[in-house]
Amino acid sequence: MSSEAEALALDAADPGHRELFDIPPVHERRYPEVAYFAGNSLGLRPKATRTELLEDLDSWAALGVEGHLEGERPWLPYHELLTAPAARLVGALPSETVVMNSLTVNLHLLMVSFYRPTASRYRIVIEDSAFPSDSYAVQSQARFHGYDDAVVRLKPRPGEDCLRTADVVEQLGDDVALVLLGGVNYLTGELMDIPAITTAGQSAGAVVGWDLAHAVGNVPLALHEWGVDFAAWCSYKYLNAGPGSLAGAFVHERHLASGLPRFEGWWSTDAATRFEMTPYSRPPQSADAWQVSNPPIFSMSPVRTSLEIFDRVGITALRERSLRLTSYLEALLDVPIITPTDPARRGAQLSLRISGALTAGAVAKRLRFEYGVIADTREPDVLRLAPVPLYSTYHDCWRAASALAEVIAG
Ligand SMILES: *Cc1c(COP(=O)(O)O)cnc(C)c1O
């Protein structure tokens, strides 16, 4: 195994942006800070978030209702500050992008528009290992339209952990109305071939949407160019915007003026005429039309701060560092890995299969309490480690791998 000194030398040569983040402290250990590998679940807090959130909070104290129009960042157009940087991050036009609500809510609002089943075409294709919220969302949408047997769950081939593109494409019959997959699978860390599956699904006559919860801020995306119909993502994983923070939504340009049905509220109407308070909405030809309510400013603030970091660092540079860091961690580990070995087919996460005397949960507990290494587990036997290129270090990887080796050796 690479030595601690080698890890420290790599950190000196390839430092990342750890200084921008608050790293949780750890007590009674050799090291002052945790080795944090759960950024795919909840990203760490940027230091600027606290300052900038307090500024927004103080506008309320200083201005009261006038804060809607006055102050450094007035609240009425606040969400527009997030649109352009969010669009850049997912490879979309600003008119195709909006930050609003939470992820599963956005999936529902988008399915209202994009899941339009008929008696002959009503199936929804998802991965068998979809995040449970997505499974519940598609099942409830199908039932809402009166279909009990609509959901097709894609399983990897026997003996394999990840789906091949061909396994997805083969299932796209003429009864499929909607394909809704995770861009990066939350369990295995597999990066799907988003452009190929999008094209195949659309050729089969289906609408293709993507859940980018584990993809955004992790891998470069080009939603507009790939022709994706719609997508949604959350901002508390790789986007570091805080627990339960606001989500994003994407609607491809070609659908913006097509009169799709939609659930609306006063934020769906054109901002210029919103306060005319007319009984009929006049939605703009942009993803803003999918908004319903006026947004929670103090949740938007951390999203704005975070997106500024991504703008400054750039997802291309981050992805390059991510490839180096993840490969380094992979080389140190001596445990079966279910994530694809091809770096082009994965993001920043390695999912390990834990067998032997200790369960994955017991291993994660010992890593945390005896070594200050924060990993997470998914039932029954998967331990997930995400070296996040913004703030994780080579030394973190070395700590995780050597702690894991000691724990497994007993
Ligand atoms: C994290 C995650 C969610 C969480 O949904 P919320 O609506 O934000 O609670 C949903 N789907 C996927 C694929 C996720 O990774």
Side-chain angles (χ1 to χ4, degrees):
M1 175 172 298
S2 150
S3 72
E4 184 167 17
E6 275 164 13
L8 291 168
L10 284 166
D11 280 325
D14 182 9
H17 301 272
R18 189 178 179 86
E19 75 287 353
L20 299 178
F21 291 84
D22 289 304
I23 311 292
V26 64
H27 304 293
E28 303 164 44
R29 297 296 319 166
R30 283 171 61 197
Y31 307 108
E33 292 168 340
V34 298
Y36 196 74
F37 287 92
N40 56 346
S41 181
L42 182 72
L44 293 178
R45 190 182 76 171
K47 287 178 177 156
T49 296
R50 184 171 196 278
T51 321
E52 296 181 3
L53 177 56
L54 285 174
E55 286 166 12
D56 287 327
L57 205 49
D58 285 346
S59 280
W60 180 25
L63 298 166
V65 71
E66 305 301 341
H68 282 302
L69 295 168
E70 293 173 17
E72 199 185 330
R73 294 185 284 268
W75 306 324
L76 278 181
Y78 200 105
H79 80 274
E80 294 167 14
L81 299 174
L82 285 57
T83 302
R88 280 191 284 276
L89 198 54
V90 297
L93 304 173
S95 60
E96 297 171 317
T97 310
V98 60
V99 175
M100 60 181 188
N101 311 313
S102 47
L103 169 54
T104 312
V105 170
N106 285 352
L107 290 175
H108 276 300
L109 291 174
L110 291 163
M111 280 192 279
V112 164
S113 302
F114 287 100
Y115 177 55
R116 310 291 302 154
T118 64
S120 59
R121 191 185 274 281
Y122 63 96
R123 293 204 185 274
I124 305 177
V125 170
I126 63 170
E127 341 70 309
D128 192 48
S129 64
F131 193 85
S133 200
D134 300 47
S135 292
Y136 307 159
V138 296
Q139 276 157 18
S140 62
Q141 283 280 335
R143 267 189 234 119
F144 178 74
H145 288 281
Y147 299 97
D148 277 330
D149 62 340
V151 179
V152 179
R153 307 185 65 87
L154 303 177
K155 287 194 175 70
R157 297 176 191 195
E160 297 187 12
D161 293 300
C162 294
L163 281 170
R164 302 184 191 195
T165 302
D167 300 342
V168 181
V169 172
E170 275 162 21
Q171 299 295 320
L172 304 176
D174 58 12
D175 55 353
V176 175
L178 172 65
V179 180
L180 181 63
L181 299 174
V184 171
N185 184 268
Y186 86 98
L187 183 66
T188 64
E190 177 184 16
L191 168 58
M192 305 300 288
D193 189 339
I194 299 175
I197 292 171
T198 299
T199 304
Q202 291 167 347
S203 307
V207 167
V208 184
W210 291 91
D211 184 326
L212 302 174
H214 282 262
V216 70
N218 179 10
V219 293
L221 297 164
L223 300 184
H224 176 81
E225 186 191 320
W226 296 338
V228 165
D229 288 299
F230 71 91
W233 56 92
C234 56
S235 63
Y236 47 83
K237 293 172 181 169
Y238 293 98
L239 291 195
N240 312 313
S245 189
L246 285 160
F250 164 88
V251 177
H252 197 278
E253 190 180 32
R254 66 177 173 275
H255 298 301
L256 294 177
S258 62
L260 284 169
R262 199 167 40 220
F263 285 173
E264 293 189 348
W266 71 315
W267 237 248
S268 317
T269 202
D270 184 17
T273 57
R274 182 172 296 136
F275 286 89
E276 291 174 9
M277 302 309 217
T278 64
Y280 304 103
S281 80
R282 283 197 276 167
Q285 290 188 359
S286 72
D288 279 5
W290 272 263
Q291 293 179 112
V292 177
S293 293
N294 83 104
I297 300 303
F298 307 134
S299 294
M300 292 210 139
S301 181
V303 182
R304 195 184 52 75
T305 305
S306 165
L307 289 173
E308 267 176 17
I309 295 176
F310 280 87
D311 256 350
R312 228 176 316 141
V313 176
I315 189 70
T316 310
L318 268 183
R319 171 64 169 165
E320 283 164 10
R321 181 162 194 274
S322 178
L323 291 168
R324 295 190 292 272
L325 211 51
T326 302
S327 296
Y328 176 75
L329 176 62
E330 180 184 36
L332 296 181
L333 293 169
D334 192 19
V335 203
I337 297 175
I338 65 173
T339 308
T341 49
D342 177 0
R345 288 187 57 211
R346 67 188 187 201
Q349 170 182 328
L350 295 177
S351 298
L352 319 184
R353 178 148 281 146
I354 303 296
S355 57
L358 293 177
T359 64
V363 169
K365 238 184 218 160
R366 288 196 54 193
L367 288 177
R368 175 167 172 214
F369 292 109
E370 295 173 32
Y371 298 89
V373 172
I374 311 293
D376 78 1
T377 55
R378 289 292 177 263
E379 290 292 327
D381 58 357
V382 173
L383 183 90
R384 304 186 307 170
L385 292 173
V388 176
L390 274 173
Y391 49 73
S392 296
T393 62
Y394 292 90
H395 187 254
D396 287 339
C397 295
W398 177 85
R399 272 174 71 185
S402 39
L404 190 62
E406 284 185 27
V407 167
I408 286 176

